[in-house]
Amino acid sequence: MGVTDIKSQIYKNGVISVCVPSGWKLFRGIDSGGKETSEKVHIYKNIELKTDVFRKVGITICYYGEDIIYLQTRDFYDNVNDIEPFEMGRYVWYGYTCTSMGYPYIMLEAYEDKAVFQVMVLLENNGERISLDDPDVCMIIESIKSEKRDENVT
């Protein structure tokens, strides 16, 4: 499968580069201080407003650069079950399935030297469902790359 289709868009913000399929919307996340950050993006299916994330399925991508401490969060979730590592796009992804407040997730991590990508896939919400097998989800994960890393590679 190719990384993009004719209707998808490549989003780049100087930190994260990712493909956003048609019918999905991307917006930047916020840091712990409540400020918009380039290290976190949300990509949700069939949304118009940021508040739609509370009723839709989607993916959150976080980038923890070499200078940022990354703490695994698996102890914060219920029903944690490891999944087999798999290769998709540029990375080998490690992770687990879990629930948070009753919502099912797949949590993934990929390492790039000392930097980490964390991907949180909200699988089910308000009757909508996605999975790791969905072409759009695969397209998003396959396309993830660090723009910070690319600027240091010559």
Side-chain angles (χ1 to χ4, degrees):
M1 171 176 174
V3 171
T4 61
D5 66 23
I6 199 154
K7 295 179 183 177
S8 63
Q9 297 180 348
I10 302 296
Y11 170 83
K12 296 180 179 189
N13 68 8
V15 177
I16 297 170
S17 173
V18 65
C19 180
V20 181
S22 177
W24 294 65
K25 186 172 182 174
L26 179 144
F27 54 94
R28 288 174 36 182
I30 56 171
D31 63 17
S32 59
K35 295 181 182 175
E36 214 173 68
T37 178
S38 296
E39 280 84 17
K40 182 187 292 184
V41 296
H42 303 283
I43 306 172
Y44 273 72
K45 189 173 183 178
N46 300 324
I47 71 167
E48 293 300 320
L49 305 170
K50 290 181 182 180
T51 54
D52 289 342
V53 300
F54 299 110
R55 298 185 321 271
K56 303 290 183 173
V57 293
I59 298 172
T60 299
I61 302 167
C62 301
Y63 179 78
Y64 296 88
E66 296 178 11
D67 57 338
I68 299 173
I69 296 172
Y70 172 69
L71 301 173
Q72 291 186 336
T73 57
R74 70 184 293 132
D75 292 337
F76 296 111
Y77 300 106
D78 298 315
N79 305 310
V80 174
N81 292 298
D82 290 328
I83 59 174
E84 290 293 319
F86 61 93
E87 191 170 336
M88 187 176 285
R90 296 172 176 252
Y91 306 104
V92 173
W93 296 93
Y94 302 86
Y96 52 92
T97 60
C98 63
T99 56
S100 176
M101 298 183 350
Y103 293 96
Y105 283 87
I106 293 178
M107 307 297 272
L108 300 172
E109 300 170 350
Y111 301 89
E112 186 176 71
D113 292 328
K114 294 181 181 178
V116 179
F117 275 108
Q118 180 189 54
V119 174
M120 298 165 272
V121 183
L122 175 56
L123 300 170
E124 200 173 313
N125 192 359
N126 201 34
E128 293 191 13
R129 290 177 170 74
I130 56 174
S131 76
L132 277 182
D133 297 326
D134 291 345
D136 285 351
V137 173
C138 290
M139 182 187 301
I140 292 167
I141 295 171
E142 284 177 1
S143 71
I144 295 170
K145 70 178 188 173
S146 164
E147 288 200 295
K148 282 189 169 188
R149 177 116 174 108
D150 283 352
E151 71 187 25
N152 296 324
V153 175
T154 55

